[in-house]
Structures are given as structure tokens and as C-alpha cells.
Amino acid sequence: MSNNHASLFAPFLEQVRHASFADRHQPAMSLLTDRGFLSVSGPDSQRFLQGQLSNNLNVLEPGQHHLSTACTPKGRMYSAFRLLHCENAFLLSMHKGLLDLTQTTLGKYAVFFKSEQTIDTSLVALGLSGSSIKNVIETLFGNTPEDGSAIKVEQSAWLLAVPGTCERYELWLPANQLSAWWEKMKQNFLPVSQSHWRLLDIEAVIPELLPEATEQYIPQHLNLPTLNAVSFRKGCYTGQEIVARMQNLGQLKSRCYHLTADSAVELSPNTKLTNAAGKTIGEVLYAVTPTDAKQTELLAVIRVEAAETSDVQLPDNDITFTVSPLPYHIDVKAELQR
């Protein structure tokens, strides 16, 4: 089956709504059309990944997951993903545009390990979200995972609890089961596009690395140490020296923030942002324009001082931006103890 699953997704995409403010915390299911999966298996897979990824796999038990990154020797992320420890393998869920690069780059370091990296085209992902949906989730799946954990569903799928401003879960399931689960869940969840899930990520400031941003940022630029995607006590991994040095110096000048444009505007990844003086102060990660709002919501990596004063504009444009306070506290010293 093709990795993009275009023909499989087509009939479901005809049923979905685009993101809206009114629906954003209502029970909804999002078909995550750009999601892909890399499976890492073999007797040395944990030891191999421990030397490549930014988090500590030695404390990740089967059935647990968290965000993680893979960096170049210069500390720049070429991949970022949610990592699940399955019984006999690790599953990495990421933007499908990162799969080939991630597999190829990890493969360069795998020669001394009994480990295999395989792009798993059999899996697809659904995002389930909404306020007070825990009881519905328990009825549908027989159990409810806690944040950072996952439960096995019918021996071939996984349900993961993920963070957000409302309750959120990801269902990783075989593509041939999508239709059955879709019909079962749409009795309780409104079918919505992936833009809905992305709007929730923007609201919670939980950034996804898109292909347009590969090797552009260190993990701190996307606030990933705060989101438990980086361990500073695990020891060496590729890029660790640069990442740790930046954390120890505490001199990061740019971070990821939630911005709101004062009118609806199309913003592609890497669109440059400036301050009132015309100086470039950052760039867009990605943006969503809700259907019921005359404004655009986005995540952007911008200078901290610009964020603190909401001094953000588009060059040669009268559109201005409001920067929302981060929904979590960043404590650089506390992060060093993880």
C-alpha cells in the first residue's frame, strides 16, 4: 500500500469539517493524513536508539511514549516524533515527509547494532479530542490510558494519551481497520480535518517538525526540553554536546510561541516575520485559519524579546500579531535535572 494512503483517505476526507473555534473543544476525530511511521526493531534497538535520540529510552517502559528528536552532530534536528515502546519494537510517529531522511540517517549509525529500521506503511493515525471525553473513550476501548502511556487495542492498534488544552488521544491502527473504527467512533466524535488537530497543537504550543524545517532548529527552539523530549542526564547521543551546551549557557534567544494574526492570512512554513523596525525576528512553523474567525493562528520561532512585547509583523504588510503567553512554564535549570 502506498505510504500516502491517498485513495484510502479520500472517502473519509469528504466527510470532514475544517478547523473552527466553535468546535475546537467539542468531541472530534481528526484523520492525521500527513502522519507516517518508522519501526525500529531487533535485539539492539533500544541500545542503538539510546545513542541517537534526545530522550532517555532506558526509563521508557513498554506501553509508554513521549516526544523525541534526532539531531545532526551540530545539534540541529533532522527529525522529531512521538516514540512508543511496543513489546518488541519502537514505533516513531512523524510527518511522513521526514520518514526517508530519518530512516537513511539512522541507518548510517546502525552498522554495529542488531537493529532494523523499517517504514511501516500499514499504519494510519486518528486524533481524538474534546473536553470530558474520557468516559466515551473508556466505553469504546475498554480502558483509558493516562498521559504518557498507551493501551493495546485488539492486538493490532495502540491508543495513546497525549497532552493538550483539552483531552486528546491518538489511535495508531492498521489501515484496513480505519473504516470500521471510523464508523464506530463517528457516533460520538465529529469528523474534522487535520487542521483541527493542528489548531489544538498551536493552542497548546506543542510543535510538530515539518520537512521545511529540517536541520533548522535545535530542540530548545521548539521548547522540547520543557515538553519532556530531551534528557540532559542520559549521557551521549548524536548532537548532545551542542544541545547541552546551549541549555547550560541559558542564552537561547528564540523560542516557539503561539501567535494570532489580526486578520486571515495565508502563511506558509518559513515565512519571515519582522519587528516594527523591519528587522527579521523569526519565521512561521505552520498556521491555521479557522473557518469561523477572521484571524489566523500559528506557531512561530521568534526572538524572545519580540514575543514579550508582541512586536511582530509581516514585512511590507500592515498585518500585526498578538503573542499568547506560553501555556507552560519554562525552567531551564529544572530541565537540566531530567
Side-chain angles (χ1 to χ4, degrees):
M1 183 181 294
S2 172
N3 187 51
N4 61 24
H5 298 299
S7 59
L8 171 70
F9 290 159
F12 303 104
L13 294 178
E14 293 175 356
Q15 304 175 40
V16 304
R17 298 187 191 181
H18 190 68
S20 74
F21 274 121
D23 292 334
R24 73 187 189 282
H25 290 169
Q26 297 301 310
M29 61 176 178
S30 310
L31 184 55
L32 306 183
T33 55
D34 69 5
R35 193 68 65 84
F37 293 88
L38 183 71
S39 174
V40 181
S41 59
D44 291 341
S45 57
Q46 183 163 333
R47 189 162 62 94
F48 163 61
L49 290 175
Q50 179 74 351
Q52 294 303 317
L53 307 188
S54 59
N55 55 1
N56 189 355
L57 275 73
N58 290 339
V59 299
L60 189 68
E61 300 291 335
Q64 294 182 334
H65 63 88
H66 49 196
L67 294 175
S68 188
T69 76
C71 299
T72 68
K74 294 183 178 180
R76 300 281 166 167
M77 296 182 293
Y78 65 85
S79 190
F81 37 81
R82 186 164 296 280
L83 171 75
L84 171 65
H85 188 175
C86 305
E87 290 98 337
N88 301 309
F90 293 89
L91 268 179
L92 286 59
S93 172
M94 67 190 73
H95 192 287
K96 63 187 180 184
L98 300 177
L99 286 169
D100 288 338
L101 174 62
T102 305
Q103 182 187 36
T104 299
T105 307
L106 285 177
K108 295 177 181 178
Y109 298 97
V111 291
F112 299 110
F113 298 89
K114 295 178 180 178
S115 177
E116 182 179 2
Q117 301 83 51
T118 306
I119 295 175
D120 190 339
T121 59
S122 70
L123 293 175
V124 296
L126 284 171
L128 306 174
S129 61
S131 299
S132 304
I133 62 172
K134 187 173 182 178
N135 289 340
V136 176
I137 292 293
E138 188 165 358
T139 299
L140 284 167
F141 297 97
N143 198 355
T144 307
E146 299 299 324
D147 188 26
S149 68
I151 57 173
K152 197 75 176 288
V153 179
E154 297 183 356
Q155 303 304 311
S156 56
W158 289 92
L159 180 70
L160 297 75
V162 299
T165 54
C166 62
E167 294 172 35
R168 298 208 297 171
Y169 303 86
E170 291 189 10
L171 179 62
W172 301 356
L173 71 162
N176 59 14
Q177 295 181 16
L178 176 60
S179 181
W181 276 107
W182 184 273
E183 291 302 314
K184 183 186 299 186
M185 291 191 297
K186 75 177 184 180
Q187 308 303 317
N188 300 102
F189 295 94
L190 176 71
V192 291
S193 69
Q194 180 160 312
S195 63
H196 175 95
W197 192 257
R198 190 151 283 164
L199 182 62
L200 294 178
D201 278 343
I202 291 171
E203 184 180 52
V205 194
I206 301 177
E208 177 186 7
L209 187 71
L210 269 57
E212 293 88 343
T214 53
E215 299 189 29
Q216 194 165 314
Y217 303 113
I218 63 173
Q220 288 93 331
H221 284 135
L222 301 193
N223 307 342
L224 291 176
T226 307
L227 297 172
N228 296 316
V230 180
S231 170
F232 293 98
R233 298 174 67 87
K234 62 168 282 186
C236 294
Y237 59 91
T238 301
Q240 177 263 344
E241 182 179 355
I242 304 298
V243 176
R245 182 186 303 156
M246 180 59 71
Q247 190 78 5
N248 278 290
L249 290 174
Q251 296 178 345
L252 191 71
K253 296 180 179 180
S254 297
R255 286 196 176 275
C256 184
Y257 292 92
H258 170 197
L259 283 66
T260 301
D262 62 4
S263 60
V265 59
E266 185 173 342
L267 295 169
S268 58
N270 290 329
T271 297
K272 296 298 181 184
L273 300 171
T274 66
N275 60 17
K279 181 180 178 180
T280 298
I281 49 90
E283 55 280 323
V284 173
L285 285 177
Y286 46 81
V288 172
T289 301
T291 56
D292 58 349
K294 296 180 179 180
Q295 60 194 47
T296 295
E297 307 296 322
L298 62 144
L299 288 182
V301 177
I302 60 174
R303 303 278 288 192
V304 173
E305 65 267 25
E308 291 174 345
T309 58
S310 281
D311 184 12
V312 185
Q313 298 182 359
L314 276 175
D316 303 318
N317 197 304
D318 59 1
I319 293 174
T320 58
F321 298 83
T322 301
V323 183
S324 298
L326 289 172
Y328 42 74
H329 175 63
I330 293 178
D331 188 333
V332 173
K333 291 183 178 180
E335 290 163 5
L336 283 168
Q337 304 308 310
R338 295 175 184 160

